[in-house]
Structures are given as structure tokens and as C-alpha cells.
Amino acid sequence: MPEPRSWHDAIARHARGAGIDLSPATVDELASHLEDAYVAALNRGLSAQAAHQQALDLLNTSGLAPLRREPRRDSRAVFARSANDLAASSRPRSLAVIYALRMALRQFRLHPTFALVTVLVLGLGTGAATVVYTVVDTVVLQPLPYRAPDALVKMWDTNPEKGLTHDPISPVTFMDYRALPVFADAAGWWRPDVNLLDPGLDPVRVNTIEVSANLFSVLGVETQVGPGFPAGGPFFSPELVAVISDRLWSTRYNRDKALIGKQISLNNTPYTVVGVMRPGFNFPDDVDVWQRLRWDFTQHSRSAHFVEAVARLAPDTSLEQARAASATLAASLAKQFEASNKGWAFGIVPLLDDELGYYRPALYVLFGAVGLLFVIGCLNVASLLLTRALGREREIAVRTALGAAPRQIVTQLLAESFLLSLAGAAAGLLVALVALPVIAATTPVEIPRLAEATVNGRVLGVALGLVGVMTMLFGLVPAVLLVRRSMGADLRSGERGSSRTARGLYQGLVIAEVALACALLVGSVLLIRTVGEMTAVRLGVTGANVSISPVRLSLAAPTLENWTATAVKHAELLDRIREQPGIIAAGSTNFLPLEHGWRNPIQRGDAPPAPPEARPQAQHQSVSDGYFEAMGAKIVAGRAFNANDTPAGAAVVIVNEEFARRHFPDRSPVGQEMLNWTSQIGPLGRNLMWAVNPDGSRVQPRLRIVGVVGDIQNVALGLPVEPAVYHPTRQFPFSAVTVAVAARDTSAAEAALKNALKVVSPNTPLGKVQTWNDKLGTHTAEPRLLMTTLTAFGVLAAFLAALGVYGLFSWSVALRKRELAIRLTLGARPVSVATAVIRHCAILAAAGLVSGLVLVRLANSALATVLFGVKPGDVTSTIVAALLLLAAALLASLLPAWRATQVNPVDGLRAE
């Protein structure tokens, strides 16, 4: 094989004979082509000498006349020489692919900045797409880790009239549905507040459910240690047994297998540990203890909705069949038990859909958004490659003049595109490998199975697929465009990109970028408004920095005397807190704002007796004296609760404004009486419902309304406030409450809670202390996270779109340098030239905006699932996004417009 310098020497001699001064870069290009021809001749069977002579003959037959306009120097000659030496040192291989890849590497050594920018843009786009795909694949697409998970469904009560779509079930009603033949089996549970007490260890609160014994068999899971609940055993049993999580077993019991068969104290009640679940199992959500159900679900009230349930469909039963059978039963129960079941229906949701909740539509929206971002990045790179390809017309013309076939040119350009795409995909995978654990560790909300997201074979397959798509997009389009050009004409022309096809293609790319960026920005603004609407909802409380913490006092036995003692101890705890320095107010409740209380019938005291089905319902909650003051709720009439509202005194309540409007529209409710039927909720519910006379007879007591409190949001955001009745904790105590403390700062509130609890109940653990503002933030965390991510994507998309606009008009101004020079020579004002450039930009941006709004319209149904208080077609959001993007595009066109005004007519006319 000839030495590399021999080709350069032969080209230099031939150029001097033709009177042409070639730049080093052109000499390198011609030398590479002669080497290409030499290798091809060797592959055809020619000897080394004959192949060398054939390559020289190819050079000698070319007059090189079209290259007389070559510039004298190229500052990148040193890169060209080193790149060519590196390529020439390789052994002769197939011309079609290996040589094309070698030439591609050489091109990137010649243009390192271009290659670096391209790989960075592709890396960011591919990385974002890979991360989101990995999350979607893990969270949404992968099946749940249970036996036949597609047959598992979650059960909920629904009430369309009340706007309730996801309410717990009455235990009695649940048993009715469990008996339907469309279900193979169903398990139910409720959520007690539990303190875990162990000798020598600090007491802690543990997330617990009291669940029917068949839960694990319904899901198709087994314990890793111990037998678990008896297989095939009864649905409930008075036997005190429990299964614990692997997390609790590891952190508190050091994975001691001897724990099986031993007892642990849950709320001062001994439970025998019969099993430990496998790692990662915390069904239904972050649970650490599963207590076996101790009581009969059928012996409760149909009006009390507090049970959650999961069921397995019977073999060969579809979800639609199960829903149809449930709807038939719901209609029958509504007629049979009108007082408790009228208006209620039964909701059946696939278990995966229920666990994902908001995240399924949110992740699909995010997946679509990152897809748009990836396409925008690809279009940007395509614009760069198109500009570069059109700038290489003379180079491609030289290769064609020297005998290169169109197939070889296409192969080379595809090889360059392949290397860029491969490097971009590798950078994207690196971004994904780094970003995934960071996202899992820092995400402010609990996304199911997010911690399991890793780059696996499926993700690598997607990345390789992206490489293939990007290679064809970036390489084939410019290659076909260049091959179709008249190379002979290009060699003689000084115009480097005046093709109308190329210009139209470039403008189309810019319009597409603006359109996709518009769709992303509109979605971002809609979500910003969603979060704004959620946080603007009037909650009826103002204590943003009030500290709250759950506290559960354990009872020796659920007797009336013990419940009365519990009420006294809660009052003592609050008194101790109020004595601490820096405390402004303190109180407790069993339901915080945005949580609904027990729904039960009520009736005005002066109303005629009504049958059970005709009695209106209201929420019932228990709050202490000082609670409304601590949370900043306003008493609009009457008085708040005080220390005199004890079981020994008259039964009193406070109602909310909605209750007053609905049930006392003609007068103030203060001083009026009402009846309630709370016999099945709360420890003293029956005591409030019936008073026992000295002779043993019972009479239903009347509750006196002593105050009206401003409406506190007692249902989820977006639903109307329901009528509510507040009972004083001293008369209607609960062992588990949430304590609210208003103090000069949060540290003083937390210290007061800890100090008071140590004195009043040393063995009672303090729950998580947080501000009400932080607690409220969890209700908006999901849309807030989606808003932040989508806004970041939107800003990046707008930047890339602006970059595309800048690239288009910079190239256009450089291309039209001669035209602009002629215009200025003939008297055109520089301002008019700049205005023409900006006007052209505005037209393209407007076309992109219109296309983007069409995309938003097509995505309305997907967007509607993640919005609150704003519609997908919101005009304000659309205008804001459009103006932002138009401003970015016009800003990007200012520099090219200014450059257009700086064209020197003399230099412009000489440029050709």
C-alpha cells in the first residue's frame, strides 16, 4: 500500500501543473478519495502496482478546474492532517462501511465543536427520554408482583350525587359484594392507629391494617419466614396474631428468626408474630404490620364507610361482567336499605390503576412531553446537519467529479449520522444511569415502584432503536438532498445552499420545532395554573405554620370508664402543651381539613319524625377546645368549645356554615337542637344517641348547637364542602387524634409536644411532626411535581426552538449575503433589511404556533386527567405560552437581523 504522503505529493504536483493553489483540507480530501479508489481496486483483484496506477490515472484525468476558487489557507489543516494520518494507518478494509466510519471520525476531528454540540443536544434529549421511559416501564408497564395480577381489582364506594368516586366501603356492604360469584375471593381491612411497644426499645407508631385472614391468598403472596395467617382459615378470628414487614423485622428486630411465635405489644395488646413478608411487600401502602381481623364485618352499620378491599375476579370473568353484577347488586341494596345505601354505587378498578392513581395519566403526559422534547432535539440536530451538509456541497461535488458513486456518498453521510447518534445515545444512557437513583431519592412524593426503576435490557433496546431512527433521520435526508443536486453546477457556483428545496426543508424544521415547543409550553402553563387553583382553594383555616402530629393513647380496655379517662388524658395533654413557653394555642381533632368525617343521619329538633331513608346526612367530627383557635378557623356565630363541655354536662355541638344554610335557612342555628344517629361510630356514639333514665328507660338526647364555624374544606379539593357537625372531644373522645399547636416557631411547638407527652403518657410515641403547610403540600405534590418537570421541558423546548430559529436566520443571512449587498447598494435602508428578517421569523413562528395549538387540541383528553380548576382549552394559558414562545423566537432573530444590516456592499459583491 502506498505511503499516505505519496497521494499528497501526487496531488500537489498535479495542482501546480494545472495552476491551482489548493488548501491543505482539499488536498487531504482528495488524498483520502485516491486511497479509497486504491483499496477498491485491490478488492477487485488488481495488483498493488496496478491499483496504484489506476488511482493516479483517476487524478490525472481530472483537470481540477472547478477548484480554482479554493482559498489559500485553512486554519484547521493541522486537524485534517492528524485525522488523515490516523485513518490511513488502518489496514485496508471494505470500502462501503469501515472506510465510511473512518472518514466520519476524520470529519469530526475537523469539526470538534460541531460534533460536541450535536452529541450534547442528543445526549440531553435521549437521556430525558430514557429516564422517563424507564420510569413508565417500571411503574406502569411492568405487571404487579402478585399471582395473575390482571385479575386483581380494588373495591370502592362511589356516590355520583356527592361527587365521591373513591370512598371506603361499609363492612356490611362489602360482605354482600364479596358473595357475588364474579369474585373468586375478596379481602377487606381498616386502618387502626397503632403504637408498638417493646421492652428496652423506644415506643414507635407503625403503619398497620387489621385485615381479613385471606389477604395474602387473594394476592397470591407468601411469607418469607413463618407460616403467616392459617391457610384456609376463617375470615376473622379473635386469635391475636400478626404478620410484620421485612423492613420492620430488619430495623427493629435485627432479622431475628426467633421472633416467630413470640409476642409484640400493639396498643398494649399482645399479638403473636406468625410471619414476616418478603422484602418490598408493604401492601396496600407502606404498611409494616398486618393484624388479623378480630370481628365480624356483618355485625356493623351500613352507614359507616371505612373499609378498603381488594378482590380477585373469578376465572373467565371480565372486568365489565364484574361491574355489571356489582351495579345490579347496588341497585337492589339501594331499594332494600334506602336509608344507608341510596345513591351509593360500587366502583371496581384494576389494582394497578388504583395504585397508580394520578401517576398513570401524569406519566403518560410526561412521556408524551419528553417525546416532544426528544423530537425537538432531533429536529435541532437535523437542522445543524442540514446546514453543514449544504455547506459541504463543494466537497461532495469534488468527490462526485472524481468518480464517487451516490451510494458511497450516502453511505459516508449515514456513517457520520450513525456515529453521532451512537455517541448521543451513549451520553443519554449515562444521563439515565446517573439521574434515575437521584430522582428516586429526591422525589418529594411516593411514586409506586419508582425505586425499582433501572436501566435494563428493554431500555437498552429502546436506546438502540433511537439510534436507528436518528441515523436515518440525520443522515438520509441531507444525503438524498445533496445527491439530487447538480454537482457540476455546484462546483462552478459560489452559492453554498441556495436550493429552494433545502430552504423549504429548513423552514419546515423550524416550524415543527416551534409547534412542538408550543404544545409543551401550553401544557406547562396549564399545570402552573392547576397548582395555583389548588392552592387558592379556600380551606377555612389560616394556620399555615401550625405544627401537627398524630397521637394515640392506648386503652386498657374499651369500657366507658376508660374512654372517659382517655378524654381526661387528652385534655391534660393539651393543657400541658399550653403551659409551655411560646405556645399560642393548642387543640386536637380526629379529622384534619381535606379529610372527611363519619357520615351519618341528623335531624332538626323541631322537625317531625322522619323515616330513616328520609333523614339528611352530615359529617361528624370530634374536636377539642382550642382546635379552631389553633388552626385559625373562624367562629361566625355563638361560641367555641371550652373546658366545661364534659360528659357530665349537656351534649353540645358546633355546626359549619354549610350545615346552617342547608338545615336552618330561616333562623340562626345557635341555641337550636338536633338529633343524631351516631350509634355505630366513635366510642361514645351510643352514649350520645341514648340517655339512660334512673328507672332504666332510654331516651334519645337532643344535641344543643352552641356555635357556627366557618366552612372548613372537609372533602378533597374540587368537591363542595359538606354539612358538618363537630362534637367536643371531652364528650366524644377518640384514642387517636391529631394535635395542632400554634406557637411562635415550629421548634417551640415540637418541644412542647414532646415535653407534655413525656409527662402525661411516657410510653406513647410522638408521631411525625410537620406544619400544616407541609401537610397541605402533600395534597398538591403530585401536580406540582408534574408542573415542575413539564415546565423544565417547556423551557428547554423553547430554548431549542429559539436556537433553531437563530440557526435558520443566521444561515439565511450568510446565504443571501450577495442579495443583501445588492439591496443595500441600490439604496435599501438597513432597518428595512432587518425588518424583513424579523418579519420572516414572525411568519414562521406564527405558523408553528398554529400547528402547536392543533397538537394541544389533540391532547385535550390526556391533559384533562391531570388538571384541576382549569380546562385544556384555557385561553389565558394558551395566550401566555404563545407570547412567551413568540418572544423567544423574535429574540433569537435579532442577532441575524443585525448582521444583515452590517453587510458591506463591496465585500458582499466580491464574495462570489
Side-chain angles (χ1 to χ4, degrees), residues 105-281:
L105 287 173
R106 177 180 170 279
Q107 287 292 331
F108 300 148
R109 288 290 302 272
L110 280 170
H111 306 280
T113 303
F114 168 81
L116 180 62
V117 171
T118 302
V119 170
L120 285 177
V121 172
L122 285 178
L124 287 174
T126 307
T130 303
V131 167
V132 174
Y133 172 78
T134 304
V135 172
V136 171
D137 179 59
T138 304
V139 175
V140 179
L141 303 181
Q142 294 285 352
L144 291 170
Y146 309 130
R147 174 174 55 86
D150 291 342
L152 293 173
V153 295
K154 201 75 179 287
M155 296 173 160
W156 296 102
D157 261 344
T158 65
N159 193 315
E161 294 179 3
K162 296 178 180 289
L164 303 175
T165 60
H166 212 251
D167 223 46
I169 315 167
S170 155
V172 185
T173 304
F174 161 75
M175 297 301 287
D176 293 332
Y177 285 103
R178 179 174 180 253
L180 288 174
V182 293
F183 300 117
D185 200 0
W189 63 88
W190 70 287
R191 299 174 184 265
D193 291 274
V194 172
N195 298 331
L196 173 60
L197 307 174
D198 290 300
L201 297 175
D202 291 334
V204 294
R205 291 176 60 88
V206 288
N207 292 332
T208 303
I209 61 173
E210 185 177 339
V211 61
S212 57
N214 62 340
L215 172 66
F216 303 133
S217 63
V218 169
L219 295 176
V221 296
E222 297 179 350
T223 57
Q224 62 169 321
V225 179
F229 297 146
F235 189 79
F236 69 96
S237 170
E239 184 182 9
L240 302 178
V241 296
V243 174
I244 66 173
S245 69
D246 179 83
R247 178 175 58 192
L248 183 63
W249 186 45
S250 301
T251 58
R252 192 167 178 89
Y253 301 108
N254 200 28
R255 304 186 70 83
D256 182 9
K257 292 185 178 180
L259 181 67
I260 304 301
K262 293 185 178 180
Q263 291 183 336
I264 59 176
S265 178
L266 303 176
N267 289 340
N268 288 328
T269 303
Y271 276 77
T272 302
V273 178
V274 295
V276 178
M277 298 307 297
R278 57 176 172 75
F281 181 87

Side-chain angles (χ1 to χ4, degrees), residues 53-75:
Q53 186 58 48
Q54 187 175 92
L56 290 178
D57 291 343
L58 182 63
L59 174 65
N60 293 331
T61 56
S62 172
L64 301 180
L67 301 179
R68 293 184 184 277
R69 296 179 184 267
E70 274 293 320
R72 287 184 172 271
R73 294 188 58 81
D74 189 331
S75 60

Side-chain angles (χ1 to χ4, degrees), residues 413-432:
L413 293 177
L414 283 175
E416 295 176 10
S417 176
F418 172 75
L419 288 180
L420 286 174
S421 303
L422 189 63
L429 286 175
L430 180 61
V431 169

Side-chain angles (χ1 to χ4, degrees), residues 229-448:
F229 297 146
F235 189 79
F236 69 96
S237 170
E239 184 182 9
L240 302 178
V241 296
V243 174
I244 66 173
S245 69
D246 179 83
R247 178 175 58 192
L248 183 63
W249 186 45
S250 301
T251 58
R252 192 167 178 89
Y253 301 108
N254 200 28
R255 304 186 70 83
D256 182 9
K257 292 185 178 180
L259 181 67
I260 304 301
K262 293 185 178 180
Q263 291 183 336
I264 59 176
S265 178
L266 303 176
N267 289 340
N268 288 328
T269 303
Y271 276 77
T272 302
V273 178
V274 295
V276 178
M277 298 307 297
R278 57 176 172 75
F281 181 87
N282 299 97
F283 183 89
D285 49 25
D286 205 34
V287 169
D288 281 315
V289 177
W290 294 266
Q291 297 176 342
R292 183 173 178 172
L293 183 65
R294 294 192 295 166
W295 52 279
D296 187 356
F297 271 5
T298 62
Q299 302 303 309
H300 209 280
S301 168
R302 291 185 179 273
S303 298
H305 295 247
F306 63 96
V307 168
E308 300 172 48
V310 64
R312 179 174 292 277
L313 296 178
D316 302 322
T317 300
S318 67
L319 185 64
E320 290 71 23
Q321 289 173 323
R323 284 173 172 167
S326 299
T328 301
L329 178 58
S332 174
L333 293 175
K335 293 179 180 179
Q336 188 176 357
F337 306 101
E338 189 173 351
S340 58
N341 287 67
K342 183 179 180 182
W344 291 94
F346 202 61
I348 301 176
V349 184
L351 181 58
L352 178 59
D353 290 0
D354 185 83
E355 287 194 359
L356 293 178
Y358 181 88
Y359 294 114
R360 177 184 283 273
L363 285 174
Y364 281 145
V365 169
L366 194 59
F367 193 49
V370 81
L372 295 181
L373 181 64
F374 175 71
V375 173
I376 291 173
C378 289
L379 293 176
N380 222 288
V381 172
S383 301
L384 293 174
L385 288 172
L386 180 61
T387 303
R388 182 169 179 270
L390 294 174
R392 296 172 64 189
E393 288 175 345
R394 289 169 64 83
E395 169 200 330
I396 301 301
V398 170
R399 296 177 64 82
T400 303
L402 293 177
R407 176 182 59 81
Q408 294 170 329
I409 295 173
V410 172
T411 300
Q412 179 182 333
L413 293 177
L414 283 175
E416 295 176 10
S417 176
F418 172 75
L419 288 180
L420 286 174
S421 303
L422 189 63
L429 286 175
L430 180 61
V431 169
L433 288 171
V434 173
L436 281 171
V438 174
I439 292 172
T442 58
T443 299
V445 292
E446 187 71 25
I447 300 178

Side-chain angles (χ1 to χ4, degrees), residues 764-837:
T764 298
L766 180 66
K768 179 182 178 181
V769 180
Q770 60 183 327
T771 65
W772 165 243
N773 204 37
D774 292 337
K775 178 71 173 179
L776 178 60
T778 62
H779 293 274
T780 61
E782 297 164 343
R784 194 186 298 274
L785 177 63
L786 180 60
M787 174 202 71
T788 303
T789 307
L790 205 59
T791 300
F793 285 174
V795 171
L796 184 56
F799 171 76
L800 291 176
L803 189 64
V805 170
Y806 171 77
L808 168 64
F809 287 97
S810 294
W811 169 67
S812 179
V813 169
L815 174 70
R816 299 168 59 195
K817 190 173 183 180
R818 180 180 176 85
E819 173 196 335
L820 295 173
I822 293 174
R823 287 172 176 260
L824 293 170
T825 301
L826 294 178
R829 297 173 57 194
V831 173
S832 65
V833 172
T835 302
V837 173

Side-chain angles (χ1 to χ4, degrees), residues 386-719:
L386 180 61
T387 303
R388 182 169 179 270
L390 294 174
R392 296 172 64 189
E393 288 175 345
R394 289 169 64 83
E395 169 200 330
I396 301 301
V398 170
R399 296 177 64 82
T400 303
L402 293 177
R407 176 182 59 81
Q408 294 170 329
I409 295 173
V410 172
T411 300
Q412 179 182 333
L413 293 177
L414 283 175
E416 295 176 10
S417 176
F418 172 75
L419 288 180
L420 286 174
S421 303
L422 189 63
L429 286 175
L430 180 61
V431 169
L433 288 171
V434 173
L436 281 171
V438 174
I439 292 172
T442 58
T443 299
V445 292
E446 187 71 25
I447 300 178
R449 302 195 290 174
L450 178 61
E452 303 171 18
T454 56
V455 176
N456 52 30
R458 292 168 61 146
V459 176
L460 291 175
V462 171
L464 291 176
L466 293 177
V467 169
V469 172
M470 291 187 293
T471 297
M472 298 304 294
L473 174 65
F474 300 152
L476 196 58
V477 174
V480 171
L481 183 64
L482 286 177
V483 167
R484 291 179 60 185
R485 300 287 302 274
S486 173
M487 294 304 175
D490 290 336
L491 281 168
R492 294 187 295 271
S493 172
E495 296 181 79
R496 303 183 57 177
S498 58
S499 164
R500 179 176 301 175
T501 302
R503 187 175 304 193
L505 180 59
Y506 208 146
Q507 292 177 352
L509 290 174
V510 170
I511 291 174
E513 285 187 56
V514 173
L516 298 176
C518 175
L520 274 177
L521 276 180
V522 170
S524 303
V525 176
L526 285 171
L527 278 164
I528 291 172
R529 293 204 61 199
T530 286
V531 173
E533 291 289 333
M534 295 182 88
T535 55
V537 171
R538 182 179 177 273
L539 300 179
V541 294
T542 58
N545 293 318
V546 170
S547 296
I548 58 174
S549 176
V551 173
R552 189 199 192 281
L553 299 178
S554 299
L555 292 176
T559 63
L560 180 60
E561 292 76 14
N562 285 334
W563 279 117
T564 303
T566 298
V568 172
K569 185 161 285 193
H570 271 307
E572 183 183 354
L573 175 65
L574 294 176
D575 289 339
R576 290 280 183 177
I577 292 173
R578 294 168 187 143
E579 293 172 357
Q580 303 292 318
I583 302 303
I584 300 171
S588 65
T589 180
N590 61 340
F591 295 105
L592 286 169
L594 300 176
E595 298 174 353
H596 67 80
W598 304 99
R599 297 185 179 97
N600 268 268
I602 59 94
Q603 184 174 312
R604 278 178 53 158
D606 59 354
E613 63 272 11
R615 295 169 187 159
Q617 285 194 338
Q619 289 193 24
H620 293 262
Q621 302 188 19
S622 174
V623 302
S624 75
D625 50 293
Y627 172 73
F628 293 134
E629 293 86 343
M631 294 297 291
K634 185 179 180 181
I635 298 294
V636 297
R639 66 172 177 88
F641 292 136
N642 57 46
N644 296 320
D645 297 320
T646 65
V652 295
V653 294
I654 292 174
V655 299
N656 67 351
E657 288 180 296
E658 179 62 23
F659 185 101
R661 283 191 295 267
R662 189 173 300 189
H663 301 296
F664 291 92
D666 55 340
R667 70 188 72 176
S668 170
V670 176
Q672 303 298 316
E673 294 180 339
M674 59 166 281
L675 301 173
N676 78 328
W677 286 263
T678 57
S679 61
Q680 293 294 332
I681 64 167
L684 294 188
R686 189 174 298 278
N687 189 50
L688 288 177
M689 180 176 173
W690 299 108
V692 181
N693 294 322
D695 61 359
S697 63
R698 297 188 304 172
V699 62
Q700 186 173 13
R702 293 173 177 264
L703 308 180
R704 182 171 295 277
I705 301 173
V706 296
V708 179
V709 66
D711 283 338
I712 298 174
Q713 186 71 24
N714 53 16
V715 285
L717 292 171
L719 296 177

